[in-house]
Amino acid sequence: MAEGSGSASSGAGGARTESAVIEDTIHRPGTIKINVTGAFITDEGSATPQQLSEEGVFHDTKDIRLPHHTSVVSHVAVDIGGSLAKLVYFSREPNSQVLGGRLNFIKFETGKIEQCLEYINQLKTRHQATNGTKPGELCVIATGGGAYKYYDRMREVLGVEVLREDEMECLIVGLDFFITELPQEVFTYSNEDDMRFAAARADIYPYLLVNIGSGVSMIKVSGPRQFDRIGGTSLGGGTLWGLLSLLTGARTFDAMLELADKGDNSAVDMMVGDIYGTDYGKVGLKSNTIASSFGKVFKMKQEAEMDAEDGGGLAMGELADAESSGDARRFAPEDISRSLLFAISYNIGQIAYLQSEKHNLQHIYFGGSFIRGHRQTMDTLSFAIKFWSQGQKQAYFLRHEGYLGSTGAFLKQQPRNWGRRNSLEALEERAF
C-alpha cells in the first residue's frame, strides 16, 4: 500500500490499527504523508468558513480536492511574507458520505497578523471537536520571514508547536506539486490568446521560478529540492503597493489593480509615437510601446507651472497647494496605477528573461501574490518574455500562484521522491 494512503496496513510485521495511525499523527505532527493521488481543483465553491469578513482578509475559492486522503491531518501551514500571510489547511468534506477532503486557501494582510492567528485558533477548536484531540495538538508549520519575526507571538497566542521551514525549499516543493500533480493548474496568458492550460510534461527540470511578493526572487530549479537563488530585484509588489498608496489614495492592493484596469498609461508615459510620431519599425518598436515610464509627467507639470505664471496667477507654493487640493491635478489615479503596474511588471519580465538566458532555462514560471490572476499583469509579463526572447519562450502562470510557499510547507514531509509522476505507484509496489 502506498505510503501516504492514510489507511492501516498489515503484513508479517503485524497490523497497525487505524487508531494507532491517528495517535501517531497527533503526537508526531508533520509525519503524516498527504495522499495527493487524483488531486483536482474544485469549482463548486470553498469549504472555508466565512466568519471573518474584515478588510485585509481574502478568501480564495479554488480549493483542491484530495479524494484519496483519509487520515487525520494535525497540521496547518502558513507562509508569512512582508505583505501577506498565506494559510493552507485540510478539511473533511461537509458531506460525510464523500471520501477524502480538501486543501483550503485564505490570506491575510501581514499587518493584521492577529486576525490570521485568531483564524488558526478557530481551526484548532474545530480540529479538537472533530478528532477528539487535546487543545495543543494541532501543529503549525510556518515559512517565510514572518516564521521568525512572529515565532514567539504564534506560540504565545496559539499554544501549539510551531515548526519553521526554509522559505525557498517550500516554494519549490509547492510548485513541483502544482506542476506535476494538478490538472488545469498551469497556464499561459495573453490578451490575444486569453488563458490556455499547459500540457503536462514528464521532464519538468530545469526551470526558472520568478516569485513576486513584496520583492522578487528568481530561483533556478535543477531537480527535486535542488535549487539556487540566482537573482532578483527589490522592485516588486511592495514597491507598487507603497508608491500607489502615496500617489492615489487607494488603501488595498486589489483597489490599486482595479484603478489600473480603468487607466490609460499613455497619459503619463512617454510612448515611442510621442517621439517619432509613428512606429520605429527599424528596431521593431510600435508607436504604442513605452519609451519612458512616467516620461510625460515632468514636462506636463512644467507646462502647467509656466501657464500659471504667464497668467499672473500662482506662485510655486500656491501651485503646489492647488495641486494637492485637486484643482490643478492633471494625472488621474487610474492612469498612474496603470503606468506603475506596467513599469514594474515589464522590469521583472526583462530581468527574468535575462536570467533564463544566462542559465539556459527554457521554462519560466511566475508565482507570488503580486499576480493575483490579474490580466494586465499577466499580459505584461507574457509580452516581456515573448518580446525579449523573440517568441522563443513563454511565461507560465498558476491558479494558486500566491500559495507556493504555504502549500510546500504543508506537503513538505512527503517521501523523498514525492511529486514525481508515478512515484506513489512505485511506493505501493515496494510496500509489498
Side-chain angles (χ1 to χ4, degrees), residues 77-368:
V78 61
D79 175 10
I80 309 176
S83 302
L84 294 171
K86 290 78 66 177
L87 179 66
V88 175
Y89 65 93
F90 178 84
S91 67
R92 293 289 175 204
E93 289 302 294
N95 181 355
S96 60
Q97 301 302 313
V98 178
L99 292 177
R102 64 176 64 199
L103 294 183
N104 304 269
F105 303 87
I106 183 172
K107 57 180 175 279
F108 304 77
E109 291 181 7
T110 303
K112 300 179 180 180
I113 191 66
E114 295 298 325
Q115 289 178 309
C116 178
L117 300 183
E118 174 57 30
Y119 194 84
I120 296 175
N121 260 330
Q122 292 180 21
L123 296 178
K124 183 176 73 170
T125 301
R126 288 175 56 203
H127 179 75
Q128 181 184 2
T130 303
N131 301 300
T133 59
K134 297 177 181 178
E137 289 175 343
L138 182 74
C139 173
V140 174
I141 302 178
T143 189
Y148 297 88
K149 182 176 181 179
Y150 298 107
Y151 177 73
D152 292 335
R153 183 59 179 163
M154 284 190 284
R155 296 189 64 185
E156 175 187 352
V157 173
L158 301 175
V160 300
E161 183 177 7
V162 178
L163 305 178
R164 292 176 289 193
E165 295 287 356
D166 178 74
E167 179 179 4
M168 296 296 173
E169 187 168 349
C170 287
L171 286 172
I172 303 312
V173 172
L175 180 54
D176 278 3
F177 165 69
F178 288 128
I179 293 175
T180 61
E181 302 293 347
L182 272 187
Q184 296 189 334
E185 171 68 30
V186 180
F187 63 94
T188 60
Y189 180 85
S190 70
N191 287 341
E192 292 78 15
D193 296 330
D194 203 47
M195 180 179 181
R196 292 179 180 270
F197 288 112
R201 296 183 297 114
D203 184 11
I204 66 172
Y205 303 112
Y207 64 77
L208 176 66
L209 167 60
V210 182
N211 193 59
I212 313 173
S214 299
V216 183
S217 286
M218 300 186 183
I219 307 167
K220 175 184 177 181
V221 184
S222 305
R225 305 194 186 190
Q226 299 174 21
F227 62 89
D228 295 290
R229 187 183 187 276
I230 57 177
T233 173
S234 62
L235 304 181
T239 309
L240 183 71
W241 198 341
L243 289 176
L244 289 185
S245 67
L246 291 173
L247 296 172
T248 68
R251 297 180 59 188
T252 68
F253 196 73
D254 289 324
M256 295 170 189
L257 295 180
E258 289 179 11
L259 287 175
D261 283 338
K262 304 171 185 175
D264 176 9
N265 67 296
S266 66
V268 293
D269 291 344
M270 184 177 293
M271 316 301 284
V272 168
D274 294 322
I275 301 172
Y276 284 88
T278 184
D279 297 345
Y280 186 10
K282 187 174 182 179
V283 294
L285 297 177
K286 296 182 178 180
S287 61
N288 62 353
T289 301
I290 299 172
S292 175
S293 297
F294 284 83
K296 289 180 181 174
V297 173
F298 176 77
K299 183 178 180 181
M300 292 176 69
K301 188 173 185 299
Q302 191 178 50
E303 289 174 351
E305 292 172 352
M306 292 177 64
D307 289 344
E309 291 174 359
D310 291 345
L314 299 174
M316 185 67 69
E318 294 170 327
L319 177 65
D321 291 339
E323 287 177 338
S324 64
S325 66
D327 294 337
R329 172 177 282 180
R330 286 177 173 243
F331 310 110
E334 294 83 356
D335 301 338
I336 293 172
S337 299
R338 195 178 187 103
S339 173
L340 192 58
L341 176 68
F342 282 174
I344 291 175
S345 298
Y346 279 131
N347 182 62
I348 293 171
Q350 184 175 14
I351 296 174
Y353 162 74
L354 293 173
Q355 290 288 4
S356 73
E357 284 293 289
K358 179 179 179 182
H359 295 276
N360 194 28
L361 302 170
Q362 183 64 27
H363 293 87
I364 306 171
Y365 295 90
F366 287 89

